[in-house]
Amino acid sequence: MATAAAHQAARTQAAHATSDATGTAPGQAPGTAAYQTAFDTAVAAEERIEPRDWMPDAYRATLVRQIAQHAHSEIIGMQPEANWITRAPSLRRKAILMAKVQDEAGHGLYLYSAAETLGTGRDELLDKLHSGRQKYSSIFNYPTLTWADVGAIGWLVDGAAITNQVPLCRCSYGPYARAMVRICKEESFHQRQGYELLLALSRGTEAQHAMAQDAVDRWWWPSLMMFGPPDDESSHSAQSMEWKIKRHSNDELRQRFVDICVPQAESLGLTLPDPDLVWNEERGHHDFGAIDWTEFWEVLKGNGPCNEQRITQRRQAHDEGAWVREAAATHAAKHSEAKHAEAQDSGANGKATA
Ligand SMILES: [Fe+2]
Ligand SMILES: [Fe+2]
């Protein structure tokens, strides 16, 4: 909200620029330069950009793309874990898992709402997801083969998500930053339940320990890929950092995640499947092995083990939910009609008694 004053000043300046054509770069509409200056100043001063503030078209488009991909990942991410709700080994585990999957639906809602503040409706975004024009995180195209996968997803996938998302709480766009605060709190619970689940398995029977180890072996590398391509191949990174949408590079965040996970794996009594993983005294970080980026690009192109299944199930859920959306819209229309009639009545009564 701190941008209000700066933007008000820019509006006044822009209005002057419109009348005397000053402060206008060649090819720009009169006044745009003043708005751009106000935007740049606000971003540089760590102020938040709010929905009614002027912003460059490319900033808006970048945010819509990123928030949409994030929202899609939240709702597609419900599928691999929901797969285990009916087979959770105890009532306690089932209740925890259901709460977690519901949280992910909630995260989707906050994020679609954040995208709406940028002028892009949920219908449009869902349509793009269903037609393959927008992506979701590739991690959810891997199958959940055993109960231990629920633990590995919580510990590693939600853990990687937190590493990525904590800096987004300081994102320059207000509604996105504020949504991330709540999301990160819930993601911490997800990470902890996964860790605790794996710990129970790791300390259980030999077969349970082996199941936990197998899940970690399969989820480790895809989790590292969640941070996106290496910095020198990441097309959007530099501009996003300049706009303070992003605060750290993909490689920085990936390194941070590896450094966090190594001691946690030790406490779990599990190993990370990387023979090259070693502490580097000089760098003060862990070195780790080469990531198979061919696999990443293949999964991204749609050739992962579950791409087809995930999107088919999503489309089906959307179609099956049509009656709920229609009922909600009809109810809302009736409600607003009733309110309108009530307001008219009280207005008429007011006149009658006046
Ligand atoms: Fe989430
Ligand atoms: Fe989560």
Side-chain angles (χ1 to χ4, degrees):
M1 291 306 287
T3 54
H7 280 266
Q8 189 50 50
R11 272 182 214 111
T12 314
Q13 230 182 312
H16 287 152
T18 312
S19 55
D20 63 12
T22 54
T24 308
Q28 283 181 311
T32 303
Y35 282 123
Q36 179 74 53
T37 305
F39 172 85
D40 292 341
T41 310
V43 170
E46 297 287 335
E47 291 176 355
R48 294 272 191 265
I49 304 301
E50 297 296 339
R52 286 170 192 275
D53 293 338
W54 183 93
M55 62 188 85
D57 290 344
Y59 176 83
R60 187 186 298 274
T62 298
L63 277 167
V64 169
R65 184 180 47 78
Q66 180 172 334
I67 296 173
Q69 181 172 332
H70 193 165
H72 299 332
S73 304
E74 299 286 356
I75 60 167
I76 294 273
M78 295 167 74
Q79 290 185 32
E81 290 185 283
N83 179 35
W84 282 94
I85 291 176
T86 54
R87 287 170 290 162
S90 70
L91 184 60
R92 175 176 170 265
R93 293 290 179 196
K94 191 194 284 268
I96 294 171
L97 185 54
M98 282 175 70
K100 193 208 165 197
V101 172
Q102 281 181 338
D103 280 355
E104 305 300 5
H107 297 175
L109 289 179
Y110 309 153
L111 290 162
Y112 286 120
S113 301
E116 273 174 355
T117 68
L118 291 157
T120 309
R122 200 186 307 176
D123 283 355
E124 183 186 333
L125 295 181
L126 283 175
D127 192 46
K128 285 184 174 160
L129 168 67
H130 297 155
S131 59
R133 280 173 293 153
Q134 277 181 346
K135 302 269 182 224
Y136 55 88
S137 176
S138 277
I139 192 87
F140 301 118
N141 289 316
Y142 291 88
T144 40
L145 302 179
T146 71
W147 170 250
D149 288 27
V150 172
I153 290 180
W155 177 43
L156 296 173
V157 177
D158 290 281
I162 297 169
T163 310
N164 249 330
Q165 291 169 9
V166 165
L168 287 174
C169 297
R170 293 188 295 125
C171 163
S172 57
Y173 186 59
Y176 191 31
R178 288 189 289 275
M180 291 320 300
V181 172
R182 180 157 174 184
I183 289 178
C184 284
K185 284 183 183 160
E186 291 174 351
E187 296 299 357
S188 304
F189 152 63
H190 300 171
Q191 195 269 354
R192 283 177 157 251
Q193 67 83 35
Y195 182 89
E196 195 254 353
L197 194 164
L198 282 181
L199 189 64
L201 288 176
S202 178
R203 289 180 179 170
T205 63
E206 215 171 288
Q208 287 172 324
H209 181 91
M211 193 199 278
Q213 183 60 60
D214 171 64
V216 169
D217 289 348
R218 282 181 290 109
W219 288 95
W220 173 248
W221 291 106
S223 302
L224 294 192
M225 295 175 198
M226 279 177 75
F227 296 92
D231 293 348
D232 48 9
E233 291 170 33
S234 176
S235 48
H236 304 294
S237 274
Q239 179 63 77
S240 282
M241 283 173 75
E242 212 166 287
W243 279 328
K244 296 190 180 166
I245 294 173
K246 223 178 138 120
R247 298 283 177 163
H248 307 280
S249 76
N250 295 353
D251 287 334
E252 268 171 49
L253 292 168
R254 190 170 6 250
Q255 180 71 63
R256 186 178 293 180
F257 178 67
V258 171
D259 291 340
I260 291 170
C261 287
V262 171
Q264 291 183 348
E266 271 167 34
S267 312
L268 282 169
L270 298 169
T271 54
L272 296 171
D274 181 357
D276 298 327
L277 192 59
V278 62
W279 176 252
N280 182 326
E281 191 65 54
E282 213 171 289
R283 291 201 308 123
H285 291 291
H286 292 87
D287 289 339
F288 53 97
I291 294 171
D292 181 1
W293 290 110
T294 318
E295 176 180 321
F296 175 80
W297 293 116
E298 277 305 306
V299 178
L300 200 70
K301 268 194 272 171
N303 302 327
C306 301
N307 296 57
E308 194 57 45
Q309 181 189 336
R310 299 291 184 239
I311 207 68
T312 304
Q313 197 173 333
R314 173 90 273 287
R315 285 194 203 115
Q316 192 185 332
H318 189 73
D319 292 345
E320 286 173 357
W323 71 271
V324 181
R325 292 189 297 278
E326 277 163 30
T330 307
H331 178 75
K334 273 189 187 166
H335 195 70
S336 87
E337 265 169 41
K339 271 202 142 175
H340 187 67
E342 208 176 284
Q344 277 188 330
D345 274 359
S346 65
N349 287 341
K351 266 181 207 154
T353 51

